[in-house]
Amino acid sequence: MCMCASISRELEKVCFTSNLCITFSTTAGARIQEGTDSLAGDADIFQCNVDASGVILQISVVMGPCAGGAVYSPAMTNFSFMVDDTSYMFVTGPEVVKTITNETVTKEELGGVSVHAGGKSGVSHGLYPNDVATLHAMRTLLDYLPRSNDASTLSVCPVTDDPKQSVLSLDRLVPNNPNMPYDMKDIVCKVLNHGSMFEIQPEHAKNIVTAFGQMEGQTVGIVGNNPIVLARCLNIGASEKASRFMRFCDCFNIPIVTFVDVPGFLLGTGQEHGGIIRHGAKLLFAFAEATVPKITVISRKAYGGAYDVMSSKHLRGDANYVWPGAEIVVMGAKGAVEIIFRGKDVEKHTAEYTDRFANPMVAAQRGYIDDVIEPHDTCCIICDDLRLLRSKKVDTIPRKHSNIPL
């Protein structure tokens, strides 16, 4: 109880002084002997986490077992990280699970790094092999992030890369074959300063990339579909991962740069029964709600509702660009022709549909795209836009808070 009170006081202090808070967690949960006092102590910490949410940067590092109600504090901070082989997070341990459900499970299987940071639950934002590597990674992450929602605390580094330099290798990264995959991370690294980024949840929902990087020394948040996983389709995991990341960027005044190559949402009963409509709505809501600078680059495909969702001009995107050969359509040519012409003269109508619709010019003519740009000019153009948008102000409708479809 005394320790909980100390943590609560420190959280209140850093909140009022606009300083960041890093918590190192190792706890077996509430002390049974203390009764409701221990529960009250945990709840006090939770309330402080909520009060500080969106005000100061909160990071949790789980460096040992974290069990019981104590797991909710790391879950409510902005980022939580785990250490391989030593970190565990679960509401109830294996012994209680065995007693209640008669299920035999190990600590690692129940709440180890393979569960929370390895792509299953998505609770943790990253894992590291040991304590030293974890601490080093935290220092790297802090180089990108502000201490609080005060824009003056945003990280600014010396500009060493020439923002006007053309990156010619970008012209060769997207294959000519529209069905051949490529790694979106290669494009992202070419655009960012020093070719480096700090990826968030790299093992979870790999079909979308969320990362921090810098352009002209200023931190940006990166969101990008990754064609090498799930054919770059959006699914439940990707929607949750990206929407939470974007809401963090919006809270802390970090511009969002989105790289789009998406044929739509993943099909099937598993996704529909799992609530892809509701989870996809979170992603749409997060993009629409964000008031920070939003820049979008479509590298190859933007189909159907996924085009709308991925920071389109209709969701108040500030600058929307496409690379030559990109397609912005309701659906792929073959599928559209099968529906419209009911299978008659498929090859002929597919060619006509492709020539007429499967290009960026129709969207550009209607003002949905700002420009068709050469890939090697992408970095220069984004830097120019970010410079212009630093003073962006958005008038919002007065309300208590929005109601995102959780």
Side-chain angles (χ1 to χ4, degrees):
M1 179 63 183
C2 291
M3 183 173 63
C4 290
S6 298
I7 295 173
S8 298
R9 284 196 297 271
E10 288 302 313
L11 273 169
E12 290 174 352
K13 185 187 301 182
V14 297
C15 189
F16 283 118
T17 56
S18 296
N19 278 307
L20 61 91
C21 177
I22 301 178
T23 306
F24 297 90
S25 299
T26 301
T27 173
R31 293 192 69 206
I32 299 174
Q33 303 93 316
E34 293 186 1
T36 55
D37 286 343
S38 62
L39 301 178
D42 282 341
D44 289 339
I45 295 176
F46 302 155
Q47 184 62 58
C48 290
N49 289 139
V50 173
D51 291 341
S53 180
V55 179
I56 61 169
L57 177 64
Q58 299 181 78
I59 298 176
S60 294
V61 184
V62 180
M63 306 188 81
C66 187
V71 298
Y72 294 115
S73 181
M76 287 193 292
T77 55
N78 300 125
F79 303 105
S80 62
F81 299 94
M82 301 179 74
V83 182
D84 199 10
D85 293 329
T86 61
S87 298
Y88 306 98
M89 295 175 68
F90 33 67
V91 177
T92 52
E95 295 82 3
V96 178
V97 171
K98 173 68 174 176
T99 302
I100 303 299
T101 68
N102 200 33
E103 179 184 4
T104 301
V105 63
T106 65
K107 289 182 178 180
E108 178 62 34
E109 293 170 338
L110 184 62
V113 294
S114 62
V115 175
H116 297 310
K120 293 181 181 179
S121 72
V123 170
S124 179
H125 295 83
L127 66 93
Y128 301 95
N130 53 57
D131 292 352
V132 175
T134 304
L135 296 175
H136 179 74
M138 294 306 97
R139 295 183 67 177
T140 303
L141 176 60
L142 291 175
D143 288 339
Y144 292 100
L145 302 181
R147 296 192 310 272
S148 71
N149 60 2
D150 184 347
S152 65
T153 66
L154 279 169
S155 177
V156 179
C157 293
V159 180
T160 56
D161 291 355
D162 182 8
K164 298 295 183 181
Q165 182 178 2
S166 295
V167 186
L168 298 178
S169 57
L170 284 173
D171 295 335
R172 302 185 296 271
L173 286 180
V174 178
N176 292 327
N177 183 347
N179 298 316
M180 185 176 292
Y182 61 94
D183 194 343
M184 186 61 80
K185 295 179 189 177
D186 293 337
I187 291 178
V188 172
C189 288
K190 295 289 185 183
V191 171
L192 296 176
N193 289 167
H194 313 298
S196 64
M197 64 178 181
F198 191 99
E199 191 171 358
I200 300 298
Q201 292 185 303
E203 300 300 321
H204 180 65
K206 295 181 180 181
N207 49 323
I208 200 161
V209 177
T210 53
F212 294 110
Q214 290 180 333
M215 301 189 73
E216 279 197 307
Q218 302 279 343
T219 297
V220 295
I222 299 292
V223 178
N225 309 109
N226 201 343
I228 63 173
V229 182
L230 285 180
R232 64 197 177 276
C233 289
L234 290 170
N235 64 349
I236 292 172
S239 299
E240 290 193 320
K241 172 182 172 179
S243 57
R244 179 172 179 180
F245 177 80
M246 286 185 296
R247 284 172 68 82
F248 170 82
C249 291
D250 193 40
C251 281
F252 291 91
N253 306 297
I254 298 174
I256 300 170
V257 179
T258 307
F259 291 91
V260 181
D261 186 354
V262 59
F265 285 87
L266 191 63
L267 307 175
T269 55
Q271 291 291 303
E272 295 291 354
H273 295 176
I276 184 61
I277 296 173
R278 176 169 52 87
H279 294 290
K282 295 178 187 177
L283 184 58
L284 190 156
F285 198 104
F287 268 123
E289 186 183 42
T291 59
V292 294
K294 294 182 288 188
I295 300 172
T296 305
V297 178
I298 301 174
S299 60
R300 187 160 67 179
K301 292 182 179 180
Y303 287 1
Y307 155 72
D308 285 332
V309 168
M310 293 297 293
S311 195
S312 64
K313 179 66 73 174
H314 322 287
L315 302 183
R316 296 180 182 173
D318 295 297
N320 294 68
Y321 302 106
V322 296
W323 286 359
E327 302 175 16
I328 304 175
V329 289
V330 175
M331 62 189 303
K334 186 175 180 180
V337 167
E338 289 284 353
I339 293 173
I340 296 171
F341 299 99
R342 301 184 182 278
K344 297 177 181 179
D345 297 327
V346 173
E347 292 186 4
K348 173 187 173 183
H349 291 304
T350 298
E352 292 175 352
Y353 182 94
T354 301
D355 290 340
R356 183 174 180 182
F357 297 109
N359 61 73
M361 301 315 298
V362 176
Q365 290 168 2
R366 287 163 171 74
Y368 305 152
I369 295 298
D370 292 300
D371 200 359
V372 180
I373 64 173
E374 293 297 330
H376 61 256
D377 291 329
T378 302
C379 180
C380 174
I381 291 173
I382 292 176
C383 286
D384 288 342
D385 286 334
L386 289 173
R387 213 176 301 119
L388 181 66
L389 293 166
R390 277 178 195 161
S391 58
K392 176 184 176 182
K393 300 289 183 182
V394 176
D395 293 328
T396 56
I397 299 172
R399 57 186 167 189
K400 186 175 182 180
H401 59 74
S402 59
N403 187 18
I404 187 170
L406 296 174

